[in-house]
Amino acid sequence: DAGVIQSPRHEVTEMGQEVTLRCKPISGHNSLFWYRQTMMRGLELLIYFNNNVPIDDSGMPEDRFSAKMPNASFSTLKIQPSEPRDSAVYFCASSKDRALNSPLHFGNGTRLTVT
Amino acid sequence: SQELEQSPQSLIVQEGKNLTINCTSSKTLYGLYWYKQKYGEGLIFLMMLQKGGEEKSHEKITAKLDEKKQQSSLHITASQPSHAGIYLCGADGTSGSRLTFGEGTQLTVNP
């Protein structure tokens, strides 16, 4: 299995631009998660989906952030407009289901720099 | 929300030494996970603990969950440079919300 695949690995953009991060979960996994990691705040859960439906988006910082999962094999996290404080590593993870005993498998992340 | 405190924040050991990392929760743990992260990479799943008193091992790494299910420890025996990285504990919330993480422990193993 290829694991969770994220693209791009690195993104550098100017303040005000739209940024789209992409994720392909592990085949057969029904739950998908977006996390953000920074030195100051550590690893924060932004949103998670189960069977393509958003279950908990309470971690999404503000309306500039949106996430979609149009099908079981693809998800996007969009920031519009981007700001320098959005600079972070964004991780996507998937698990077999939403049960509490189902480990998450992480992608290698997208390092976002907003100048 | 589930708050997890890890200690120490960083650790430097000589190759061959044993070490322990702790993870303490403000609430009862219903699922405790240990992950390892190398710089610039994603998190690698190590182990999951659910029952009070449970202990699991993988190669030279052993993790335990105490009987009260509010603290877990990760123990590495005879550390090697390949063990270096950031170790994070994560836990599921009681309301069904998924994994929140501690701030991590940065481990350096000097050859």
Side-chain angles (χ1 to χ4, degrees):
Chain A
D1 198 324
V4 176
I5 300 173
Q6 291 187 247
S7 65
R9 284 300 310 273
H10 302 273
E11 177 79 40
V12 181
T13 191
E14 291 184 348
M15 185 174 72
Q17 296 298 306
E18 177 180 297
V19 175
T20 300
L21 311 181
R22 297 172 176 79
C23 176
K24 177 176 165 50
I26 292 173
S27 177
H29 281 193
N30 296 324
S31 293
L32 182 140
F33 306 78
W34 283 101
Y35 283 86
R36 177 172 69 176
Q37 187 177 40
T38 61
M39 290 290 291
M40 291 296 293
R41 300 173 70 91
L43 201 57
E44 303 172 279
L45 176 63
L46 301 177
I47 185 172
Y48 85 90
F49 295 84
N50 190 62
N51 291 327
N52 311 339
V53 176
I55 301 300
D56 182 358
D57 65 354
S58 58
M60 295 285 264
E62 43 196 280
D63 292 345
R64 297 185 297 107
F65 285 69
S66 62
K68 293 183 180 179
M69 192 164 186
N71 57 61
S73 59
F74 184 65
S75 176
T76 59
L77 178 67
K78 187 177 292 188
I79 308 173
Q80 166 64 19
S82 58
E83 296 182 4
R85 61 193 167 118
D86 301 331
S87 298
V89 181
Y90 290 81
F91 288 103
C92 177
S94 69
S95 66
K96 283 188 178 178
D97 55 49
R98 62 180 293 190
L100 296 185
N101 60 354
S102 183
L104 273 62
H105 298 266
F106 284 77
N108 281 332
T110 294
R111 183 173 294 276
L112 174 64
T113 303
V114 184
T115 60
Chain B
S1 62
Q2 192 88 31
E3 290 190 3
L4 299 173
E5 237 180 74
Q6 285 188 238
S7 62
Q9 286 188 327
S10 65
L11 192 54
I12 302 174
V13 299
Q14 207 65 31
E15 182 177 359
K17 295 294 186 185
N18 303 336
L19 63 104
T20 299
I21 298 169
N22 294 303
C23 175
T24 302
S25 172
S26 57
K27 300 179 181 178
T28 301
L29 295 162
Y30 289 91
L32 189 286
Y33 305 77
W34 283 101
Y35 285 82
K36 178 185 175 185
Q37 183 180 25
K38 291 194 171 181
Y39 181 77
E41 298 179 15
L43 282 68
I44 305 296
F45 171 69
L46 295 176
M47 278 172 277
M48 176 179 70
L49 304 165
Q50 286 186 287
K51 300 175 184 176
E54 187 174 9
E55 179 175 319
K56 286 188 177 178
S57 293
H58 175 68
E59 298 179 344
K60 293 184 178 178
I61 302 176
T62 300
K64 300 179 186 179
L65 183 60
D66 75 349
E67 290 289 344
K68 293 184 179 179
K69 294 173 65 174
Q70 284 194 274
Q71 185 170 26
S72 178
S73 60
L74 186 86
H75 184 77
I76 299 177
T77 304
S79 58
Q80 300 170 357
S82 60
H83 287 127
I86 300 172
Y87 288 82
L88 297 104
C89 63
D92 289 319
T94 54
S95 59
S97 60
R98 291 309 312 271
L99 279 187
T100 56
F101 287 88
E103 292 189 356
T105 295
Q106 172 83 53
L107 173 64
T108 303
V109 181
N110 291 324

PDB file of all heavy atoms in Angstrom, chain A residues 37-59:
ATOM      1  N   GLN A  37       0.426  21.515  12.037  1.00  0.00           N
ATOM      2  CA  GLN A  37       1.484  21.456  13.052  1.00  0.00           C
ATOM      3  C   GLN A  37       2.334  22.715  12.998  1.00  0.00           C
ATOM      4  O   GLN A  37       2.861  23.080  11.942  1.00  0.00           O
ATOM      5  CB  GLN A  37       2.373  20.223  12.842  1.00  0.00           C
ATOM      6  CG  GLN A  37       3.386  20.011  13.955  1.00  0.00           C
ATOM      7  CD  GLN A  37       4.197  18.730  13.759  1.00  0.00           C
ATOM      8  OE1 GLN A  37       4.586  18.380  12.656  1.00  0.00           O
ATOM      9  NE2 GLN A  37       4.438  18.000  14.850  1.00  0.00           N
ATOM     10  N   THR A  38       2.479  23.373  14.136  1.00  0.00           N
ATOM     11  CA  THR A  38       3.351  24.537  14.269  1.00  0.00           C
ATOM     12  C   THR A  38       4.163  24.394  15.550  1.00  0.00           C
ATOM     13  O   THR A  38       3.798  23.617  16.439  1.00  0.00           O
ATOM     14  CB  THR A  38       2.556  25.855  14.350  1.00  0.00           C
ATOM     15  OG1 THR A  38       1.697  25.802  15.514  1.00  0.00           O
ATOM     16  CG2 THR A  38       1.693  26.081  13.126  1.00  0.00           C
ATOM     17  N   MET A  39       5.241  25.131  15.633  1.00  0.00           N
ATOM     18  CA  MET A  39       6.065  25.090  16.841  1.00  0.00           C
ATOM     19  C   MET A  39       5.278  25.588  18.035  1.00  0.00           C
ATOM     20  O   MET A  39       5.388  25.058  19.139  1.00  0.00           O
ATOM     21  CB  MET A  39       7.319  25.953  16.647  1.00  0.00           C
ATOM     22  CG  MET A  39       8.305  25.370  15.668  1.00  0.00           C
ATOM     23  SD  MET A  39       9.096  23.896  16.315  1.00  0.00           S
ATOM     24  CE  MET A  39      10.108  24.592  17.597  1.00  0.00           C
ATOM     25  N   MET A  40       4.484  26.631  17.818  1.00  0.00           N
ATOM     26  CA  MET A  40       3.786  27.268  18.939  1.00  0.00           C
ATOM     27  C   MET A  40       2.632  26.430  19.465  1.00  0.00           C
ATOM     28  O   MET A  40       2.418  26.336  20.672  1.00  0.00           O
ATOM     29  CB  MET A  40       3.251  28.637  18.498  1.00  0.00           C
ATOM     30  CG  MET A  40       4.315  29.676  18.237  1.00  0.00           C
ATOM     31  SD  MET A  40       5.229  30.084  19.728  1.00  0.00           S
ATOM     32  CE  MET A  40       3.960  30.892  20.693  1.00  0.00           C
ATOM     33  N   ARG A  41       1.873  25.807  18.563  1.00  0.00           N
ATOM     34  CA  ARG A  41       0.624  25.161  18.970  1.00  0.00           C
ATOM     35  C   ARG A  41       0.658  23.634  18.847  1.00  0.00           C
ATOM     36  O   ARG A  41      -0.330  22.975  19.179  1.00  0.00           O
ATOM     37  CB  ARG A  41      -0.521  25.737  18.150  1.00  0.00           C
ATOM     38  CG  ARG A  41      -0.696  27.250  18.320  1.00  0.00           C
ATOM     39  CD  ARG A  41      -1.732  27.773  17.345  1.00  0.00           C
ATOM     40  NE  ARG A  41      -3.065  27.321  17.703  1.00  0.00           N
ATOM     41  CZ  ARG A  41      -3.906  27.976  18.491  1.00  0.00           C
ATOM     42  NH1 ARG A  41      -3.534  29.137  19.012  1.00  0.00           N
ATOM     43  NH2 ARG A  41      -5.101  27.497  18.761  1.00  0.00           N
ATOM     44  N   GLY A  42       1.776  23.108  18.352  1.00  0.00           N
ATOM     45  CA  GLY A  42       1.856  21.653  18.212  1.00  0.00           C
ATOM     46  C   GLY A  42       0.951  21.156  17.101  1.00  0.00           C
ATOM     47  O   GLY A  42       0.722  21.840  16.114  1.00  0.00           O
ATOM     48  N   LEU A  43       0.402  19.964  17.290  1.00  0.00           N
ATOM     49  CA  LEU A  43      -0.425  19.306  16.281  1.00  0.00           C
ATOM     50  C   LEU A  43      -1.893  19.534  16.629  1.00  0.00           C
ATOM     51  O   LEU A  43      -2.362  19.116  17.679  1.00  0.00           O
ATOM     52  CB  LEU A  43      -0.089  17.818  16.279  1.00  0.00           C
ATOM     53  CG  LEU A  43      -0.406  16.979  15.054  1.00  0.00           C
ATOM     54  CD1 LEU A  43       0.273  17.537  13.821  1.00  0.00           C
ATOM     55  CD2 LEU A  43       0.052  15.551  15.294  1.00  0.00           C
ATOM     56  N   GLU A  44      -2.622  20.193  15.713  1.00  0.00           N
ATOM     57  CA  GLU A  44      -4.027  20.533  15.973  1.00  0.00           C
ATOM     58  C   GLU A  44      -4.920  19.854  14.934  1.00  0.00           C
ATOM     59  O   GLU A  44      -4.643  19.944  13.738  1.00  0.00           O
ATOM     60  CB  GLU A  44      -4.256  22.041  15.834  1.00  0.00           C
ATOM     61  CG  GLU A  44      -3.405  22.924  16.702  1.00  0.00           C
ATOM     62  CD  GLU A  44      -3.610  24.382  16.304  1.00  0.00           C
ATOM     63  OE1 GLU A  44      -2.985  24.825  15.318  1.00  0.00           O
ATOM     64  OE2 GLU A  44      -4.407  25.073  16.974  1.00  0.00           O
ATOM     65  N   LEU A  45      -6.008  19.260  15.394  1.00  0.00           N
ATOM     66  CA  LEU A  45      -6.984  18.678  14.479  1.00  0.00           C
ATOM     67  C   LEU A  45      -7.853  19.798  13.915  1.00  0.00           C
ATOM     68  O   LEU A  45      -8.448  20.575  14.662  1.00  0.00           O
ATOM     69  CB  LEU A  45      -7.856  17.660  15.219  1.00  0.00           C
ATOM     70  CG  LEU A  45      -8.993  17.031  14.417  1.00  0.00           C
ATOM     71  CD1 LEU A  45      -8.452  16.225  13.242  1.00  0.00           C
ATOM     72  CD2 LEU A  45      -9.854  16.146  15.320  1.00  0.00           C
ATOM     73  N   LEU A  46      -7.911  19.886  12.595  1.00  0.00           N
ATOM     74  CA  LEU A  46      -8.720  20.916  11.942  1.00  0.00           C
ATOM     75  C   LEU A  46     -10.127  20.406  11.647  1.00  0.00           C
ATOM     76  O   LEU A  46     -11.122  21.044  11.980  1.00  0.00           O
ATOM     77  CB  LEU A  46      -8.058  21.372  10.641  1.00  0.00           C
ATOM     78  CG  LEU A  46      -6.651  21.958  10.763  1.00  0.00           C
ATOM     79  CD1 LEU A  46      -6.091  22.288   9.383  1.00  0.00           C
ATOM     80  CD2 LEU A  46      -6.661  23.185  11.651  1.00  0.00           C
ATOM     81  N   ILE A  47     -10.197  19.244  11.002  1.00  0.00           N
ATOM     82  CA  ILE A  47     -11.486  18.701  10.582  1.00  0.00           C
ATOM     83  C   ILE A  47     -11.318  17.213  10.332  1.00  0.00           C
ATOM     84  O   ILE A  47     -10.220  16.757   9.989  1.00  0.00           O
ATOM     85  CB  ILE A  47     -11.994  19.405   9.302  1.00  0.00           C
ATOM     86  CG1 ILE A  47     -13.407  18.938   8.905  1.00  0.00           C
ATOM     87  CG2 ILE A  47     -11.018  19.221   8.150  1.00  0.00           C
ATOM     88  CD1 ILE A  47     -14.033  19.744   7.771  1.00  0.00           C
ATOM     89  N   TYR A  48     -12.399  16.432  10.525  1.00  0.00           N
ATOM     90  CA  TYR A  48     -12.338  15.058  10.056  1.00  0.00           C
ATOM     91  C   TYR A  48     -13.655  14.634   9.423  1.00  0.00           C
ATOM     92  O   TYR A  48     -14.719  15.139   9.755  1.00  0.00           O
ATOM     93  CB  TYR A  48     -11.830  14.100  11.127  1.00  0.00           C
ATOM     94  CG  TYR A  48     -12.811  13.549  12.120  1.00  0.00           C
ATOM     95  CD1 TYR A  48     -13.498  12.361  11.885  1.00  0.00           C
ATOM     96  CD2 TYR A  48     -12.987  14.169  13.344  1.00  0.00           C
ATOM     97  CE1 TYR A  48     -14.348  11.824  12.824  1.00  0.00           C
ATOM     98  CE2 TYR A  48     -13.839  13.647  14.295  1.00  0.00           C
ATOM     99  CZ  TYR A  48     -14.517  12.470  14.035  1.00  0.00           C
ATOM    100  OH  TYR A  48     -15.360  11.935  14.974  1.00  0.00           O
ATOM    101  N   PHE A  49     -13.504  13.718   8.470  1.00  0.00           N
ATOM    102  CA  PHE A  49     -14.615  13.189   7.677  1.00  0.00           C
ATOM    103  C   PHE A  49     -14.794  11.701   7.992  1.00  0.00           C
ATOM    104  O   PHE A  49     -13.819  10.998   8.246  1.00  0.00           O
ATOM    105  CB  PHE A  49     -14.311  13.298   6.172  1.00  0.00           C
ATOM    106  CG  PHE A  49     -14.186  14.697   5.650  1.00  0.00           C
ATOM    107  CD1 PHE A  49     -12.986  15.389   5.758  1.00  0.00           C
ATOM    108  CD2 PHE A  49     -15.253  15.318   5.024  1.00  0.00           C
ATOM    109  CE1 PHE A  49     -12.855  16.674   5.257  1.00  0.00           C
ATOM    110  CE2 PHE A  49     -15.135  16.602   4.508  1.00  0.00           C
ATOM    111  CZ  PHE A  49     -13.933  17.282   4.620  1.00  0.00           C
ATOM    112  N   ASN A  50     -16.034  11.252   7.921  1.00  0.00           N
ATOM    113  CA  ASN A  50     -16.307   9.821   7.943  1.00  0.00           C
ATOM    114  C   ASN A  50     -17.237   9.505   6.781  1.00  0.00           C
ATOM    115  O   ASN A  50     -18.284  10.157   6.640  1.00  0.00           O
ATOM    116  CB  ASN A  50     -16.934   9.398   9.270  1.00  0.00           C
ATOM    117  CG  ASN A  50     -17.000   7.888   9.407  1.00  0.00           C
ATOM    118  OD1 ASN A  50     -15.972   7.217   9.418  1.00  0.00           O
ATOM    119  ND2 ASN A  50     -18.192   7.342   9.497  1.00  0.00           N
ATOM    120  N   ASN A  51     -16.846   8.547   5.958  1.00  0.00           N
ATOM    121  CA  ASN A  51     -17.629   8.234   4.747  1.00  0.00           C
ATOM    122  C   ASN A  51     -17.924   9.497   3.931  1.00  0.00           C
ATOM    123  O   ASN A  51     -19.063   9.712   3.482  1.00  0.00           O
ATOM    124  CB  ASN A  51     -18.921   7.512   5.118  1.00  0.00           C
ATOM    125  CG  ASN A  51     -18.654   6.123   5.644  1.00  0.00           C
ATOM    126  OD1 ASN A  51     -17.707   5.451   5.230  1.00  0.00           O
ATOM    127  ND2 ASN A  51     -19.455   5.683   6.595  1.00  0.00           N
ATOM    128  N   ASN A  52     -16.913  10.336   3.788  1.00  0.00           N
ATOM    129  CA  ASN A  52     -16.942  11.546   2.964  1.00  0.00           C
ATOM    130  C   ASN A  52     -17.753  12.688   3.580  1.00  0.00           C
ATOM    131  O   ASN A  52     -17.889  13.758   2.964  1.00  0.00           O
ATOM    132  CB  ASN A  52     -17.476  11.276   1.549  1.00  0.00           C
ATOM    133  CG  ASN A  52     -16.819  10.083   0.883  1.00  0.00           C
ATOM    134  OD1 ASN A  52     -15.730   9.677   1.273  1.00  0.00           O
ATOM    135  ND2 ASN A  52     -17.495   9.504  -0.082  1.00  0.00           N
ATOM    136  N   VAL A  53     -18.316  12.494   4.749  1.00  0.00           N
ATOM    137  CA  VAL A  53     -19.141  13.523   5.394  1.00  0.00           C
ATOM    138  C   VAL A  53     -18.344  14.179   6.521  1.00  0.00           C
ATOM    139  O   VAL A  53     -17.775  13.478   7.346  1.00  0.00           O
ATOM    140  CB  VAL A  53     -20.433  12.895   5.962  1.00  0.00           C
ATOM    141  CG1 VAL A  53     -21.243  13.944   6.715  1.00  0.00           C
ATOM    142  CG2 VAL A  53     -21.251  12.264   4.851  1.00  0.00           C
ATOM    143  N   PRO A  54     -18.306  15.523   6.574  1.00  0.00           N
ATOM    144  CA  PRO A  54     -17.592  16.186   7.678  1.00  0.00           C
ATOM    145  C   PRO A  54     -18.285  15.913   9.005  1.00  0.00           C
ATOM    146  O   PRO A  54     -19.495  16.126   9.129  1.00  0.00           O
ATOM    147  CB  PRO A  54     -17.631  17.668   7.297  1.00  0.00           C
ATOM    148  CG  PRO A  54     -18.761  17.797   6.332  1.00  0.00           C
ATOM    149  CD  PRO A  54     -18.879  16.496   5.635  1.00  0.00           C
ATOM    150  N   ILE A  55     -17.528  15.419   9.991  1.00  0.00           N
ATOM    151  CA  ILE A  55     -18.094  15.051  11.284  1.00  0.00           C
ATOM    152  C   ILE A  55     -17.816  16.132  12.334  1.00  0.00           C
ATOM    153  O   ILE A  55     -18.673  16.468  13.131  1.00  0.00           O
ATOM    154  CB  ILE A  55     -17.522  13.707  11.769  1.00  0.00           C
ATOM    155  CG1 ILE A  55     -17.827  12.599  10.759  1.00  0.00           C
ATOM    156  CG2 ILE A  55     -18.059  13.359  13.152  1.00  0.00           C
ATOM    157  CD1 ILE A  55     -19.301  12.361  10.514  1.00  0.00           C
ATOM    158  N   ASP A  56     -16.595  16.638  12.318  1.00  0.00           N
ATOM    159  CA  ASP A  56     -16.198  17.619  13.322  1.00  0.00           C
ATOM    160  C   ASP A  56     -15.270  18.634  12.664  1.00  0.00           C
ATOM    161  O   ASP A  56     -14.152  18.291  12.298  1.00  0.00           O
ATOM    162  CB  ASP A  56     -15.499  16.927  14.492  1.00  0.00           C
ATOM    163  CG  ASP A  56     -15.099  17.893  15.606  1.00  0.00           C
ATOM    164  OD1 ASP A  56     -15.330  19.108  15.467  1.00  0.00           O
ATOM    165  OD2 ASP A  56     -14.559  17.424  16.620  1.00  0.00           O
ATOM    166  N   ASP A  57     -15.751  19.851  12.482  1.00  0.00           N
ATOM    167  CA  ASP A  57     -14.917  20.907  11.890  1.00  0.00           C
ATOM    168  C   ASP A  57     -14.640  22.015  12.900  1.00  0.00           C
ATOM    169  O   ASP A  57     -14.304  23.139  12.513  1.00  0.00           O
ATOM    170  CB  ASP A  57     -15.562  21.471  10.629  1.00  0.00           C
ATOM    171  CG  ASP A  57     -16.872  22.191  10.926  1.00  0.00           C
ATOM    172  OD1 ASP A  57     -17.330  22.155  12.090  1.00  0.00           O
ATOM    173  OD2 ASP A  57     -17.440  22.786   9.991  1.00  0.00           O
ATOM    174  N   SER A  58     -14.774  21.703  14.173  1.00  0.00           N
ATOM    175  CA  SER A  58     -14.607  22.725  15.207  1.00  0.00           C
ATOM    176  C   SER A  58     -13.183  23.269  15.287  1.00  0.00           C
ATOM    177  O   SER A  58     -12.943  24.325  15.843  1.00  0.00           O
ATOM    178  CB  SER A  58     -15.023  22.175  16.573  1.00  0.00           C
ATOM    179  OG  SER A  58     -14.258  21.038  16.900  1.00  0.00           O
ATOM    180  N   GLY A  59     -12.226  22.536  14.704  1.00  0.00           N
ATOM    181  CA  GLY A  59     -10.846  22.998  14.731  1.00  0.00           C
ATOM    182  C   GLY A  59     -10.471  23.906  13.577  1.00  0.00           C
ATOM    183  O   GLY A  59      -9.360  24.457  13.565  1.00  0.00           O
TER     184      GLY A  59
END
